[in-house]
């Protein structure tokens, strides 16, 4: 049984390069989406911290002092 005509090596190389290019574009898009999610997570945490500070009835200076003291004891 005869086999079909084989693709020239140049065509195979070109096809592989197209696949790699497409994957690189996909990876970059996924990285951008991941960064957006990480930023969203960070803002959610900051909002939560802000709400805790507001409900504590402490000034920002008092909060900074408390956190600084805590950090110096932990480190």
């Amino acid at each position: 049984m005869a086999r079909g005509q084989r693709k020239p090596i140049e065509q195979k190389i070109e096809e592989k390069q197209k696949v790699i290019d497409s994957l690189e574009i996909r990876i970059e898009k996924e990285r951008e989406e991941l960064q957006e999610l990480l930023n969203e997570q960070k803002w959610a945490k900051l909002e939560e911290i802000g709400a805790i500070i507001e409900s504590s009835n402490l000034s920002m200076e008092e909060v900074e002092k408390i956190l600084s003291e805590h950090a110096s004891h932990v480190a």
Side-chain angles (χ1 to χ4, degrees), residues 13-64:
I13 292 170
E14 185 178 323
E15 288 172 358
K16 287 296 177 186
Q17 188 60 52
K18 287 180 182 179
V19 169
I20 291 170
D21 292 345
S22 295
L23 289 172
E24 287 175 343
I25 290 168
R26 172 79 189 272
I27 289 170
E28 184 59 33
K29 183 179 178 200
E30 294 295 332
R31 283 190 176 128
E32 289 172 3
E33 289 179 16
L34 174 60
Q35 190 59 51
E36 288 176 14
L37 290 170
L38 291 170
N39 289 342
E40 186 178 325
Q41 181 185 44
K42 186 177 186 177
W43 278 109
K45 288 179 180 180
L46 289 172
E47 288 175 351
E48 186 177 341
I49 291 168
I52 291 169
I53 291 170
E54 279 186 33
S55 68
S56 73
N57 294 321
L58 296 171
S59 69
M60 282 303 293
E61 292 78 23
E62 291 170 315
V63 171
E64 289 176 16

